[in-house]
């Protein structure tokens, strides 16, 4: 069996839905573990005779793992977004996604131009906006759902002032407020940073953008928000008129460099600007202030070629390595915003390639961190198949790895042990595809050592997803408490 034969199941449609099924645990879950892990990701990769082109395109499915007294259950359910409902009704792909264009005819493209239907296919992340747990994609159409049943409840309405066509699936929170941005495309495009307090949004800053950058995430320190504009840029007129899939309208313009804009979280004032050599990143790891500078850690690629490498046909065929990003820190001097951009250089903190980074977010977001977890590759010919831990305490980073043959690990979500003091005192939760068994399992690792503590087998495979979060019991009162097992067969196409 080749590597690609082994992990291709992770890019295969799952139509089966089940509810509140108890899972058999091997090993032992921590007795303190409660709450629920909720994840989202693509689970249907074709509709009728049409197939999605990119990993980021598939129709979204929620997966929930509620914990209770050493046991765990599992539920999964498609998000009944407009994109999903229209695809079901029409028997074909109904809305444009990241790299898939459903408007195959000239008539269809003209109709889409005059009546645009942005995707609400929330397959990227689970976060909190407006004091609600929501599923997110890169349009400002967060999906509300019941965290107990996973039933879709419609869109979370954003305020009139927060208008734009694009957004991020990675909002930030400092415990009392949430922060995010939208991008309004037009003759005069603008990045619009906003804060959410108690479900009410307020615009913090509006930054002009002649050719907006593709940005998947942004940074947050204790006092500042940091927008990072990579030189993957789009002409809004081309985006509106080309009739091409969304991301194919963007152009790599290395001469523009990488632009950092630091904005005060309270006043919305721009306090610093900086420019670095061209690079690309999906994910910010963290940001913190120290010695009159704000330090921004990202997983940097040399260019945006990774986007094409994540096309489904290439992934299924065992294409070239995708996890070639390295942990890189940019240190931006504070002050001097009026004098223009300052030149900065990226410092590679660790040369171990990895992706889907996580930190102890509740305690370290916006503050200096020591530990970063993510997923990497055992060799360049395979897909993401190991969990890595990077420790930045000394002059040389310490790297730990978890790897098992024919097992393909997903994003490791850190859960702190109650009353634990150390930054890595807790566990990691990861959904792993077992290619030999043709199913997936929930993996529980010691966050400090990456020693395996438990695993719980799921009765089917779970397609490779992106992000999720663990929500403690106070956020989900009573969730997971002994409801009858019920099966919901999904509708196959």
């Amino acid at each position: 069996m080749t590597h690609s034969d082994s992990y291709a199941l992770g890019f295969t449609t799952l139509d089966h839905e089940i509810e509140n099924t108890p899972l058999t645990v091997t090993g032992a879950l921590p007795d303190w573990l409660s709450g629920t892990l909720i994840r989202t990701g693509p689970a249907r990769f074709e509709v009728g005779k049409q197939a999605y082109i990119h990993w980021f395109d598939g129709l979204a499915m929620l997966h929930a793992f509620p914990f209770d007294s050493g046991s765990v259950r599992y539920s999964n359910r498609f998000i009944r977004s407009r994109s999903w409902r229209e695809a079901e009704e029409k028997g074909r792909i109904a809305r444009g996604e990241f790299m898939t264009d459903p408007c195959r005819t000239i008539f269809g493209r003209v109709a889409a131009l005059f009546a645009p239907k942005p995707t609400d296919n929330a397959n990227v992340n689970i976060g909190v906006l407006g004091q609600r747990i929501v599923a997110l994609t890169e349009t400002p159409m967060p999906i509300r759902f019941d965290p107990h049943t996973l039933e879709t409840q419609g869109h979370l309405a954003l305020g009139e002032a927060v208008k734009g066509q694009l957004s991020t699936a990675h909002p930030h929170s400092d415990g009392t407020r949430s922060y995010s941005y939208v991008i309004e495309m037009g003759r005069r495009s603008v990045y619009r940073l906003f804060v959410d307090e108690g479900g009410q949004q307020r615009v913090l800053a509006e930054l002009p953008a002649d050719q907006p950058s593709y940005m998947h995430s942004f940074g947050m320190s204790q006092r500042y928000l940091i927008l990072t504009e990579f030189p993957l840029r789009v002409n809004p007129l081309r985006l509106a008129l080309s009739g091409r899939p969304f991301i194919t309208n963007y152009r790599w313009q290395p001469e523009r460099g990488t632009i950092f804009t630091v904005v005060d979280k309270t006043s919305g004032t721009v306090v610093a600007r900086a420019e670095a050599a061209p690079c690309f990143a999906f994910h910010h790891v963290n940001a913190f202030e120290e010695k009159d500078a704000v330090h921004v850690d990202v997983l940097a690629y040399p260019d945006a070629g990774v986007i094409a490498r994540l096309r489904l046909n290439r992934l299924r065929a065992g294409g070239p390595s995708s996890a070639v990003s390295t942990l890189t820190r940019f240190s931006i001097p504070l002050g001097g915003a009026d004098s223009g951009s300052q030149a900065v250089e990226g410092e590679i903190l660790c040369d171990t390639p990895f992706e889907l980074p996580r930190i102890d977010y509740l305690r370290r977001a916006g503050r200096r961190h020591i530990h970063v977890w993510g997923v990497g590759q055992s060799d360049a010919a395979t897909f993401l198949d190991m969990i890595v831990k990077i420790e930045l305490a000394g002059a040389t980073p310490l790297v730990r790895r978890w790897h098992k043959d024919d097992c393909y690990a997903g994003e490791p979500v850190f859960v702190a042990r109650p009353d634990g003091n150390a930054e890595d005192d807790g566990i990691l939760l990861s959904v792993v595809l077992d290619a030999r068994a043709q199913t997936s399992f929930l993996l529980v690792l010691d966050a400090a050592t990456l020693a395996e503590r438990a695993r719980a087998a799921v009765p089917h495979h779970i397609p490779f997803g992106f992000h999720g979060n663990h929500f403690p019991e106070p956020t989900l009162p009573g969730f997971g408490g002994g409801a009858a097992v019920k099966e919901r067969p999904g509708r196959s196409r």
Side-chain angles (χ1 to χ4, degrees), residues 40-60:
T40 187
R44 181 179 293 167
F45 298 101
E46 57 282 316
V47 183
K49 296 181 179 180
Q50 292 180 317
Y52 290 104
I53 292 173
H54 201 276
W55 184 22
F56 297 177
D57 293 340
L59 291 173

Side-chain angles (χ1 to χ4, degrees), residues 223-268:
R223 293 186 293 168
Y224 305 112
L225 304 177
I226 304 97
L227 276 186
T228 308
E229 296 177 81
F230 306 104
L232 184 61
R233 302 274 190 157
V234 70
N235 181 322
L237 187 61
R238 176 190 293 124
L239 188 64
L241 299 177
S242 74
R244 295 169 54 86
F246 167 74
I247 197 61
T248 61
N249 294 283
Y250 284 73
R251 299 290 180 267
W252 183 248
Q253 301 178 26
E255 68 279 4
R256 286 179 173 260
T258 302
I259 308 298
F260 298 89
T261 303
V262 183
V263 177
D264 188 286
K265 287 167 62 176
T266 301
S267 67

Side-chain angles (χ1 to χ4, degrees), residues 65-299:
F65 296 86
F67 303 97
D68 182 31
S69 303
S71 66
V72 60
R73 293 173 178 264
Y74 170 74
S75 300
N76 68 303
R77 188 177 178 89
F78 277 107
I79 295 177
R80 269 62 172 178
S81 62
R82 292 173 184 169
S83 297
W84 183 91
R85 293 199 312 267
E86 291 174 9
E88 284 284 292
E89 293 166 1
K90 297 177 181 179
R92 59 176 175 81
I93 297 171
R95 296 195 176 207
E97 300 293 342
F98 184 80
M99 197 181 277
T100 301
D101 173 21
C103 302
R104 302 296 179 90
T105 67
I106 294 177
F107 174 79
R109 290 182 178 182
V110 172
L113 176 62
F114 289 99
K117 297 190 297 182
T119 181
D120 60 348
N121 181 29
N123 65 6
V124 181
N125 197 14
I126 304 295
V128 176
L129 277 176
Q131 299 181 317
R132 291 292 304 265
I133 299 174
V134 291
L136 298 154
T137 185
E138 294 183 323
T139 58
M141 303 173 72
I143 296 282
R144 297 181 296 111
F145 63 92
D146 185 325
H148 305 263
T149 66
L150 303 186
E151 292 183 4
T152 304
Q153 297 177 327
H155 297 106
L156 177 70
L158 299 179
E160 287 293 325
V162 185
K163 58 182 179 178
Q165 298 91 356
L166 302 174
S167 187
T168 177
H170 291 279
H172 278 294
S173 173
D174 60 10
T176 58
R177 293 168 294 273
S178 297
Y179 301 89
S180 190
Y181 65 81
V182 293
I183 305 175
E184 184 175 14
M185 298 279 195
R187 189 166 60 88
R188 295 179 179 176
S189 299
V190 63
Y191 305 130
R192 191 168 281 122
L193 287 157
F194 68 91
V195 59
D196 185 296
E197 297 182 81
Q200 300 296 315
Q201 295 88 37
R202 174 173 56 87
V203 174
L204 274 176
E206 293 187 343
L207 308 174
D210 63 330
Q211 291 195 27
S213 168
Y214 174 69
M215 303 181 295
H216 182 76
S217 62
F218 68 114
M220 181 189 75
S221 67
Q222 285 187 284
R223 293 186 293 168
Y224 305 112
L225 304 177
I226 304 97
L227 276 186
T228 308
E229 296 177 81
F230 306 104
L232 184 61
R233 302 274 190 157
V234 70
N235 181 322
L237 187 61
R238 176 190 293 124
L239 188 64
L241 299 177
S242 74
R244 295 169 54 86
F246 167 74
I247 197 61
T248 61
N249 294 283
Y250 284 73
R251 299 290 180 267
W252 183 248
Q253 301 178 26
E255 68 279 4
R256 286 179 173 260
T258 302
I259 308 298
F260 298 89
T261 303
V262 183
V263 177
D264 188 286
K265 287 167 62 176
T266 301
S267 67
T269 302
V270 174
V271 298
R273 298 184 191 274
E275 180 176 346
C279 69
F280 177 75
F282 289 116
H283 297 115
H284 288 67
V285 177
N286 196 20
F288 61 94
E289 303 144 31
E290 197 173 86
K291 297 180 180 178
D292 299 321
V294 59
H295 306 277
V296 185
D297 289 4
V298 303
L299 294 188

